[in-house]
Amino acid sequence: MTDFTMTKDADGIATIVWDCTGKSINVMNMDGMRQLDSFIDSALDNEAVKGIIITSGKKDFAAGMDLNVLAKMKATSGDNPAKGVFEGIMMMHNALRKIERAGMDPKTNKGGKPIATVLPGTAMGIGLELPLATHRIFAAENPKAKIGFPEILVGLFPGAGGTTRLVRKLGAMGASQYLLEGKLITPTKAKSAGLIDEVSSEPMKEARAWVLSASASDLVKIWDAKGYKMPGGTPYHPSGFLTFVGASAMVHGKTFGAFPAAKALLSAVYEGAQVPFDTALRIEARWFTNIIMDPSSSAMIRSLFLNKQALEKGAVRPADVADQRVRKVGVIGAGMMGAGIALVSAQAGIDVVLVDQTREAADKGKSYGETYIDTSIKRGKSTAEKKKETLSKINATSDLDLLRDADLIIEAVFEDPEVKSNVTKAVEAVIPKNCIFASNTSTLPISELAKSSLRPEQFIGIHFFSPVERMKLVEIIKGKKTGDHAVAKALDYVRQISKTPIVVNDARFFYANRCIIPYINEGIRMVSEGVAPALVDNAARMLGFPVGPLQLVDETSIDLGAKIARATKTAMGNAYPDSAVDNVLFWLEGQGRIGRKAKAGFFSYDEAGKRLGYWRGLHDRYPQMEEQPQLTEVQHRLMFAQALEAVRALEEGVLMDVREGDVGAILGWGFAPWSGGPISWIDILGSPYAAKRCDELQSAYGDRFSCPNLLREMSEKGHSFYGRFANVEKVT
Ligand code: NAD
């Protein structure tokens, strides 16, 4: 299979077209790189060729490297994988450097052939690294196109020269938003930022004219010309020094050192800035190898790209149910969640009937969407037309009769079984017989709620996370009687609103909350034992969690935690675990310290609601131990508390697919993304070590850490979760 083809015309221009067969967008793999390299060789050797244009046969240029290849690179690189990976990367570097030098004499910089790239649309990852190695980049005027390096978002950084070239072009400061944040921009913005050279309605015509008229000096990159100085200065230049010191502090402040790729990227930039260009490329390749050798990169690629995409494309959708795209959704309850659900549905072009007890309450829910879009307009992310279009799709009302032609209902009324039961009956009296009814409950078992329904096989849970507009995960819960039609409907709806679904079976707290609660509880329990609250929260932040457990419970509110604890206690009776956590929660609740909303909780707050620090009263009631535990011990308690719950959910059949367990954890509550998710994390530790740690934690802290039977059995056999449960390569 050839990804590239080359033709030569009468003007002496060789045009190399990238067009991967059977794919909607080009992605690079090792074979593709070799094909490109051999075309470049033959064009450079052919005297009749005056210049070269590299372009795409598709509407976009390229999405980047084939991440399947990168995820397996370590495993497929022979007995000495680090050496094999490094050599593979250097093969790419050499091919791109050959393009850049284009046959020039190394001393005089003369005698090269001009090479231009024409980008019809999106150019990301290696799809931008390759153009950056050519002499001039022409992009089509295409506001939908995205230009940039999203690698960091899946635990990588541009490793085929993109890092070194961009930093040498824009300086460390100028390049940082693209390399460290993965910012993607339109061609017009990319031109003003200096990432590409031209934007045109006829990029091919302009590229041809340029190739035919380019002079020898047009081909020499600034870093290959005499007297080159890096914009903003190198690390030992007075201004460069400030940039590098600042960048290091900034990255550490944001990532707490939890993301290996960000650190490796900074090292490649810092070290590369102090040496000649070709040495900088080798340094970049070494750091990239370091990242590929780290199990975190393959775990991140697997969960955050491959499996996330598979779930979005319907990996777990019942195959034999026809398309269930939603036309009209009825959202019942226009509170915090209902308002958000109505908004994201309308934004996806779905007609919405937003119902509340009164017209005023429904209007208030709709106006939430209006305020949200106004903010987006201010940020340049939406337009007045889009606002009009979206709001026109939301019909706010108190009249249930308007639901008579809805094909999906999402109920988001108070978390009260009786209120929900009454709403189910009242709504079912109006809606068509084949309409699916979903509840957004976060704690009530779906099978119980379905008892109020006339059609329990059409009753399902569609559990959003707050804030709905921002959170990408939607947990779909199958009740005991839920049928395939309802599951397909929920999945098709989630796809329409561009979120990522996981499907789980019904059980207390479903999947996400089942794991989040032990995380919060373990944090609170540690405080009651005398562990410093700052150690608890920072240990979590240093694992890459967006917020520590104590801050999280202050945000979600302590009275909610106390309410859930009471309800769970009633439901579980004697099986309820010891009450160390409740003692803290109920005590805080009793003092009116119910979290951020009361400007008092684990933290003290100022009048504006800004956190001032941990509340002193905590220390008085739970004096801190003189000798604080090791950081790793605190981190293991927080990680195992969640990961073991994920394993139990799998063991009990609540979780049906390890991929969903991992993707759901990262998107749902920000579980240490570098690990690839709780199940990947156990695979990285190895099941024998994980089981041994469970035994140690259990004897030190209690039975909640007891090793699940499944993990015990796997540890005895040396199994991994992905090796055993998923048809995917083991993380290496
Ligand atoms: P909320 O109190 O903000 O909103 C509930 C709304 O339902 C109110 O506007 C109320 O007037 C309306 N309502 C009550 N009875 C009604 C009836 N009979 N008919 C029509 N409307 C009625 O609550 P919320 O935070 O939006 O939560 C709603 C649901 O979503 C709950 O089941 C909750 O467990 C679940 N949930 C909440 C979160 C969260 O973070 N808040 C997250 C996931 C799921």
Side-chain angles (χ1 to χ4, degrees):
M1 222 163 46
T2 51
D3 291 348
F4 290 87
T5 49
M6 183 167 77
T7 51
K8 192 175 76 55
D9 63 24
D11 293 331
I13 296 181
T15 305
I16 299 178
V17 177
W18 189 1
D19 197 351
C20 297
T21 345
K23 294 210 157 86
S24 57
I25 190 161
N26 292 322
V27 285
M28 186 68 89
N29 57 32
M30 292 304 187
D31 281 344
M33 197 48 125
R34 281 185 209 101
Q35 284 166 27
L36 172 65
D37 190 38
S38 82
F39 281 131
I40 293 289
D41 276 339
S42 76
L44 291 178
D45 284 349
N46 185 341
E47 285 202 357
V49 172
K50 303 286 174 248
I52 304 167
I53 293 176
I54 304 173
T55 189
S56 158
K58 303 196 189 289
K59 72 178 176 41
D60 291 307
F61 186 66
M65 198 68 193
D66 183 341
L67 286 177
N68 283 294
V69 174
L70 288 183
K72 293 179 198 157
M73 205 166 179
K74 182 176 158 194
T76 54
S77 286
D79 295 342
N80 185 346
K83 185 164 176 278
V85 169
F86 180 72
E87 284 167 358
I89 296 165
M90 282 313 294
M91 183 276 277
M92 296 201 268
H93 276 293
N94 294 336
L96 296 190
R97 188 66 172 138
K98 189 191 290 168
I99 290 175
E100 189 159 58
R101 297 301 295 157
M104 271 175 244
D105 181 289
K107 288 218 172 74
T108 63
N109 275 341
K110 295 223 163 85
K113 294 184 184 182
I115 306 183
T117 357
V118 171
L119 311 177
T122 290
M124 297 191 292
I126 189 115
L128 180 58
E129 294 185 287
L130 162 60
L132 282 174
T134 65
H135 305 125
R136 204 148 184 88
I137 308 173
F138 297 82
E141 270 167 15
N142 177 353
K144 288 201 172 139
K146 291 181 190 148
I147 310 274
F149 289 123
E151 283 87 338
I152 198 79
L153 305 177
V154 287
L156 298 169
F157 67 91
T163 295
T164 302
R165 288 192 175 88
L166 200 68
V167 168
R168 281 200 163 39
K169 220 168 148 66
L170 306 182
M173 182 80 99
S176 68
Q177 54 188 319
Y178 308 107
L179 297 173
L180 275 169
E181 293 167 25
K183 186 174 171 188
L184 301 174
I185 49 180
T186 61
T188 310
K189 287 193 177 150
K191 182 180 176 218
S192 25
L195 269 74
I196 63 171
D197 302 298
E198 304 290 349
V199 178
S200 155
S201 55
E202 291 185 284
M204 186 50 97
K205 192 170 156 200
E206 288 201 16
R208 290 181 62 85
W210 181 83
V211 164
L212 293 174
S213 64
S215 66
S217 63
D218 289 339
L219 315 189
V220 183
K221 289 292 175 64
I222 45 173
W223 45 88
D224 285 325
K226 267 215 177 77
Y228 167 75
K229 286 205 166 44
M230 183 181 285
T234 54
Y236 289 99
H237 181 277
S239 60
F241 180 79
L242 291 178
T243 305
F244 279 90
V245 170
S248 178
M250 189 195 81
V251 170
H252 198 79
K254 277 195 176 168
T255 65
F256 282 85
F259 294 85
K263 261 206 246 180
L265 166 69
L266 269 192
S267 302
V269 171
Y270 175 83
E271 293 166 20
Q274 303 175 60
V275 293
F277 186 79
D278 286 293
T279 314
L281 288 182
R282 289 179 71 78
I283 289 174
E284 184 191 300
R286 284 204 190 285
W287 278 113
F288 192 76
T289 305
N290 180 288
I291 286 303
I292 292 289
M293 294 301 292
D294 191 315
S296 162
S297 68
S298 32
M300 272 182 92
I301 294 172
R302 189 175 62 193
S303 290
L304 288 174
F305 183 77
L306 303 175
N307 291 343
K308 176 174 171 291
Q309 207 172 56
L311 294 175
E312 285 162 3
K313 285 188 175 163
V316 292
R317 186 186 186 281
D320 44 5
V321 182
D323 187 3
Q324 293 294 315
R325 198 176 306 249
V326 176
R327 285 176 301 95
K328 186 180 245 185
V329 62
V331 179
I332 321 295
M336 187 169 107
M337 298 304 286
I341 297 167
L343 173 64
V344 298
S345 304
Q347 281 176 323
I350 302 171
D351 286 325
V352 182
V353 181
L354 178 59
V355 185
D356 209 298
Q357 286 159 307
T358 61
R359 175 69 197 265
E360 292 68 40
D363 283 341
K364 193 165 163 237
K366 182 171 174 177
S367 71
Y368 172 85
E370 189 167 358
T371 313
Y372 180 84
I373 305 175
D374 283 339
T375 315
S376 306
I377 295 176
K378 274 194 203 120
R379 293 191 182 144
K381 298 208 159 136
S382 193
T383 59
E385 296 85 77
K386 274 195 204 151
K387 173 179 163 182
K388 198 167 158 221
E389 198 186 321
T390 304
L391 293 179
S392 75
K393 297 224 160 268
I394 304 178
N395 187 356
T397 180
S398 58
D399 182 4
L400 288 182
D401 213 38
L402 296 181
L403 300 171
R404 73 186 102 66
D405 56 348
D407 52 328
L408 173 68
I409 299 294
I410 302 177
E411 167 278 300
V413 300
F414 300 136
E415 188 75 339
D416 177 322
E418 206 180 310
V419 176
K420 287 195 190 288
S421 169
N422 291 337
V423 165
T424 307
K425 287 177 189 153
V427 170
E428 281 192 352
V430 179
I431 54 177
K433 288 215 160 24
N434 61 352
C435 179
I436 300 297
F437 191 106
S439 174
N440 180 47
T441 177
S442 35
T443 55
L444 303 170
I446 292 299
S447 309
E448 284 301 310
L449 294 179
K451 286 184 180 158
S452 305
S453 168
L454 294 171
R455 300 180 281 268
E457 68 289 352
Q458 287 173 213
F459 197 99
I460 194 163
I462 299 187
H463 180 210
F464 283 85
F465 293 78
S466 171
V468 177
E469 315 77 58
R470 274 227 320 271
M471 298 299 284
K472 297 303 280 175
L473 186 74
V474 177
E475 192 175 24
I476 294 171
I477 302 113
K478 276 172 77 170
K480 278 198 190 85
K481 296 191 175 161
T482 305
D484 278 359
H485 175 194
V487 175
K489 186 89 185 177
L491 283 167
D492 291 353
Y493 166 69
V494 173
R495 190 202 288 218
Q496 274 175 281
I497 57 169
S498 305
K499 296 203 184 277
T500 310
I502 61 169
V503 181
V504 301
N505 278 316
D506 195 18
R508 177 164 296 281
F509 302 135
F510 319 130
Y511 171 63
N513 284 340
R514 174 181 181 150
C515 298
I516 300 169
I517 293 170
Y519 169 60
I520 292 177
N521 284 354
E522 200 59 31
I524 297 176
R525 198 183 288 268
M526 281 192 253
V527 172
S528 75
E529 291 167 11
V531 179
L535 175 55
V536 173
D537 274 347
N538 284 336
R541 305 272 326 263
M542 290 165 86
L543 287 164
F545 286 87
V547 285
L550 307 176
Q551 191 184 333
L552 182 58
V553 72
D554 256 16
E555 303 283 341
T556 53
S557 94
I558 286 168
D559 53 333
L560 177 68
K563 187 176 160 208
I564 293 175
R566 280 189 205 100
T568 315
K569 202 169 188 167
T570 313
M572 290 179 76
N574 289 341
Y576 190 72
D578 79 77
S579 51
V581 175
D582 296 354
N583 291 344
V584 183
L585 276 183
F586 296 159
W587 168 64
L588 285 170
E589 186 192 35
Q591 312 247 334
R593 301 195 68 89
I594 54 172
R596 188 194 198 106
K597 64 183 179 187
K599 301 193 184 102
F602 281 95
F603 286 86
S604 296
Y605 297 82
D606 68 11
E607 270 314 299
K610 187 169 168 258
R611 276 191 313 282
L612 297 174
Y614 294 96
W615 176 48
R616 285 289 310 168
L618 273 183
H619 186 277
D620 298 339
R621 175 137 178 153
Y622 298 106
Q624 286 172 23
M625 292 185 281
E626 237 167 64
E627 198 172 324
Q628 289 289 310
Q630 293 289 317
L631 176 65
T632 319
E633 188 73 358
V634 175
Q635 290 182 323
H636 273 186
R637 286 180 70 173
L638 294 175
M639 290 288 268
F640 274 100
Q642 301 164 76
L644 293 182
E645 215 44 58
V647 173
R648 288 182 198 117
L650 183 69
E651 200 170 31
E652 291 165 19
V654 173
L655 206 55
M656 289 175 273
D657 186 321
V658 287
R659 300 175 298 178
E660 293 178 300
D662 276 346
V663 173
I666 299 178
L667 299 189
W669 72 96
F671 184 94
W674 56 267
S675 68
I679 293 167
S680 286
W681 181 65
I682 296 190
D683 273 0
I684 290 174
L685 294 181
S687 54
Y689 174 75
K692 183 170 142 273
R693 269 313 265 145
C694 284
D695 297 342
E696 290 163 2
L697 291 168
Q698 181 184 10
S699 68
Y701 307 109
D703 287 346
R704 62 192 181 283
F705 289 108
S706 75
C707 184
N709 291 339
L710 173 64
L711 179 58
R712 176 79 66 208
E713 183 222 315
M714 286 174 51
S715 75
E716 282 156 7
K717 295 179 178 156
H719 282 176
S720 71
F721 284 100
Y722 276 82
R724 176 157 162 170
F725 292 107
N727 199 11
V728 222
E729 301 290 316
K730 180 171 165 262
V731 174
T732 49

